[in-house]
Amino acid sequence: MNQDVLTRYLALQNGSDIRGIAIDSENGRANLHPEEARSITAAYTAFLAEKTGRRASELRIGVGHDSRLSADSLTQAALEGFALAGARAYDCGMVSTPAMFLSTVLEGSRFDGALMITASHMPSDRNGLKFFTTEGGLEHEDIEQILTRAASDIKTEAGEVTAESFDLVSLYCEHLKAIIKKEVAADDYDHPLNGLHILVDAGNGAAGFFATGILEALGADISGSQFLEPDGSFPNHIPNPEDREAMASVKEATLRASADLGVIFDCDGDRGAVVLDNGEEANRNTLIALLSAILVREHPGASIVTDSVTSDELADFLEGLGLQHVRFKRGYKNVIDKGIALNKEGIDCPLAIETSGHGALKENYFSDDGAYLAVKIICEMARMRREGRRIQSLIADLKQPRDAREIRFKITTEDFKAYGLGVLEDFRAFAEETEGFSLVEPNFEGIRVSVRGSVNGWVLLRMSLHEPKMPMNIETKEEGGVEKILEVIRPFFARYDKLSGKL
């Protein structure tokens, strides 16, 4: 195998996904072309055949995509790759990532495998491939195996492929509508959302169907919804529930329309957040708190898995509900896998969620599905409305940090992993020796420090999952507290000439 080719293919790996530049731009030359997509999908077919113990010709594989500009060319190449490998592929068109996973388990499809062509919220020149089996998304090791196989058997052939079209969006909508009808249990069974005004911001991604195909069909008023039309150039704002501009846009629209709820999705629909009727943004820690407060009724004493950067205030809120807070590693797949592992150990874990908005529920196959999260919130809101209560009452006791900052150090040396690990070990020793600092244990990622004294808060220093960077998060219970902590730790970071970042 040509080592340069292998290196080029392996460079496309991004954790448990495949991502690259699909269109030449100011960000760089494209490295994810139809050729790579064709070879990778052929290699996935071989992987799936081995996993299922079936011949490639017996496999049924669904293919979907979001609104990105490179979607058509990569979809065509993917269909060619499946055909060259002998599998039967179905073109599901523009759809959400969670719908593509559910295509492997829903009665009306039950594909053996699925491919979603997406790069989530990343810039419009990017794209990627996300593979599923009936067990969920692939693991890091699976992707490495597939890329290695693809690099050794490059598919240069191209041509017209006639793939059968499959209306997955309608199937997915019917699935979620049935859940809402059952959960809300309204007198008007077919229109359980009558009287609710719910606004949707799809960010010009693939999830605009949630407004028209689900909410409006069930009787909700969706007036004021915005950016439902797919446009891979993302002309209005980045489709990202973590982005301040995106959240400010849906908040303004919700208040302007006097809606009961605003819902926002990322480009491929696997992440979401909401805005309450008073303008309160429920993303990050607040979204986790809201979902936990909804779930606690059926899961008293359960464990909620989050990523490592959740606040102390969230931990206090979950403890107040009688829930166990399990902070784990960053990376949505890490968080979800931890939730699955806890349940296998006999520990009830109904929710595994990252602050990015990747949230997966046990009752939904542990699929990170922004639409399903929204459905849980909408159903609870509809039930509470009948009782004369408002959903924000569920998180009335949630406190917020008064000051917060994230600093991302760049490691400017080739062996960045070894250098970063050395910094972490030194920071551990520094924390142990510093008055008012104490190490937080158990801790599954980086070094987390509790700060008590004239300022109260925490610091988390960790390695980035995929880049030569070290993010550091600081939160405090006092205004101006971050600067007070920085005054203490600046001398520590001044020792390291291979760390670049403004303190």
Side-chain angles (χ1 to χ4, degrees), residues 44 48 60-63 100 103-104 110-115 132-134:
Y44 166 73
L48 188 61
R60 299 167 65 251
I61 302 173
V63 181
M100 283 313 306
S103 73
T104 67
R110 288 197 177 276
F111 296 140
D112 301 297
L115 163 65
F132 297 98
T133 69
T134 55

Side-chain angles (χ1 to χ4, degrees), residues 341-389:
L342 287 178
N343 280 288
K344 287 181 178 179
E345 294 170 14
I347 299 170
D348 183 21
C349 173
L351 174 66
I353 183 167
E354 197 180 38
T355 48
S356 66
H358 276 290
L361 287 140
K362 176 183 177 181
E363 66 190 56
N364 189 43
Y365 307 96
F366 269 115
S367 167
D368 47 326
D369 186 343
Y372 197 88
L373 299 188
V375 163
K376 290 296 291 186
I377 294 168
I378 290 167
C379 288
E380 186 70 18
M381 185 174 67
R383 288 191 294 261
M384 293 181 71
R385 185 186 181 94
R386 289 205 303 264
E387 301 168 0
R389 297 188 296 147

Side-chain angles (χ1 to χ4, degrees), residues 48-60 112:
L48 188 61
E50 291 175 359
K51 185 176 181 64
T52 60
R54 301 170 64 187
R55 293 190 297 272
S57 59
E58 298 174 320
L59 298 175
R60 299 167 65 251
D112 301 297

